Amino acid sequence: MPDLSVIWLTLKLAVIVTLLLLALATPLAWWLSQTNSKLKPIIGSLCTLPMVLPPTVLGFYLLLLLGPNSPIGQFSSFIGLGSLPFSFAGIAIACAVHTLPFVVQPLQNSFEAFGKRPLEVAATLRAGPVATFWQVALPLAKPGFFTAAVMGFCHTIGEFGVVLMIGGNIPEQTRVLSIEIYNHVEAMEYAQAHWLAGGMMLVSFIGLLLIYCINYQCSRKQKLYGQSKSKTDANYQAQRRQAA
């Protein structure tokens, strides 16, 4: 039987990281989708950088950044969090950094997909920027939020290199599912490794299947709406010609 404490720790990590990234990535993705600033390519590249960096490279620099002698490490000790490396808080921060592009990009694409027209209509109705964002942009971007949440959750569940660099292999603190699989393989306990690896594959497959199903339904609704709108416009033009 798999170690339930490892499963619980992994799920806890994935939920915390996903919620944290949704809170941080939403305003960032909104800014990237709306701005014409010259800093947009630089900020966008920095947000995507963790996707292409080897986990060991990212983990090494995060280890230096979060170390006890760094400003962040000294601040965490000052506020009572203690040392971040080899702790749950440390791997949560590391996973958030590594998973950031998997949450920002779906949100940014979703914000860009509906274009400027709905925002302009809201502005003509005297809706402020905050009201427009909450009442227009967020509802239209629901599929992007679902995609971002699933991608962030599944990617965090599968974290290995960054977690190992920052958190090591401490039972009930930093030992997550991916590290537990590595331990089983190293000990040639392939049956236990199969249980954990198969479960992770199933969870990831179900998550991706849900994403594709929801995106398909949304795309189908948009096509039907477009066809209905085209027919309505055509009927309106025909009635105008007959009236003339």
Side-chain angles (χ1 to χ4, degrees):
M1 287 293 293
D3 189 348
L4 295 181
S5 65
V6 174
I7 297 175
W8 164 247
L9 184 68
T10 305
L11 293 176
K12 176 183 173 183
L13 176 67
V15 170
I16 290 175
V17 170
T18 302
L19 294 176
L20 176 65
L21 283 179
L22 286 175
L24 296 177
T26 298
L28 179 58
W30 176 251
W31 182 82
L32 288 171
S33 67
Q34 302 299 312
T35 187
N36 293 318
S37 172
K38 294 180 180 179
L39 295 176
K40 179 179 179 179
I42 298 175
I43 302 299
S45 298
L46 288 174
C47 291
T48 310
L49 189 61
M51 184 183 289
V52 298
L53 278 178
T56 50
V57 174
L58 182 62
F60 171 69
Y61 284 110
L62 284 175
L63 190 61
L64 297 179
L65 187 64
L66 302 177
N69 296 324
S70 68
I72 295 178
Q74 292 176 358
F75 178 74
S76 68
S77 299
F78 175 75
I79 61 176
L81 291 178
S83 178
L84 292 175
F86 307 104
S87 68
F88 179 81
I91 63 173
I93 294 173
C95 289
V97 173
H98 195 205
T99 308
L100 179 65
F102 294 91
V103 177
V104 170
Q105 289 192 1
L107 291 177
Q108 182 181 349
N109 293 337
S110 185
F111 286 141
E112 292 174 346
F114 55 75
K116 301 287 187 181
R117 181 61 178 169
L119 308 180
E120 293 172 351
V121 172
T124 60
L125 297 175
R126 297 183 179 180
V130 176
T132 299
F133 177 75
W134 285 101
Q135 299 177 14
V136 178
L138 288 188
L140 290 174
K142 281 182 181 179
F145 276 91
F146 181 79
T147 301
V150 173
M151 292 292 290
F153 185 85
C154 292
H155 188 262
T156 304
I157 285 180
E159 288 282 10
F160 177 74
V162 169
V163 172
L164 191 61
M165 291 288 290
I166 298 295
N169 189 2
I170 305 174
E172 298 185 1
Q173 293 188 43
T174 63
R175 183 181 292 175
V176 294
L177 276 172
S178 56
I179 294 178
E180 184 73 353
I181 292 172
Y182 177 79
N183 291 339
H184 286 314
V185 173
E186 194 174 38
M188 301 188 70
E189 298 172 347
Y190 294 147
Q192 292 90 332
H194 273 305
W195 276 102
L196 296 178
M200 291 177 68
M201 285 186 62
L202 181 62
V203 169
S204 298
F205 175 76
I206 292 174
L208 292 174
L209 182 62
L210 289 174
I211 289 175
Y212 280 107
C213 288
I214 289 178
N215 287 339
Y216 173 76
Q217 291 296 329
C218 291
S219 176
R220 187 178 179 184
K221 287 181 180 179
Q222 289 177 353
K223 288 181 180 179
L224 292 175
Y225 173 76
Q227 293 174 358
S228 176
K229 187 174 184 300
S230 298
K231 289 180 180 179
T232 302
D233 292 342
N235 292 335
Y236 176 71
Q237 294 296 334
Q239 290 175 1
R240 288 191 60 184
R241 286 194 296 267
Q242 290 177 358

